[in-house]
Amino acid sequence: MTEDKFDRGSALTVFKSDRHEDFMALVLAFAIALLVYIFV
């Protein structure tokens, strides 16, 4: 039985790898949380 490679689900990304994408999402979420903390 051949095992298929994992499918990311979407090729619409500007990042080279999933690790970079995850890290940038984490940074963006932290920045949004910080702005909410400051302005609310």
Side-chain angles (χ1 to χ4, degrees):
M1 211 162 84
T2 61
E3 188 174 328
D4 293 332
K5 193 173 181 180
F6 177 72
D7 184 21
R8 292 180 52 179
S10 175
L12 299 175
T13 182
V14 296
F15 299 102
K16 291 182 283 187
S17 70
D18 286 341
R19 189 177 303 261
H20 287 103
E21 188 174 357
D22 292 342
F23 181 74
M24 288 308 297
L26 183 65
V27 169
L28 183 61
F30 181 74
I32 291 171
L34 185 62
L35 289 173
V36 169
Y37 179 76
I38 291 171
F39 289 109
V40 173

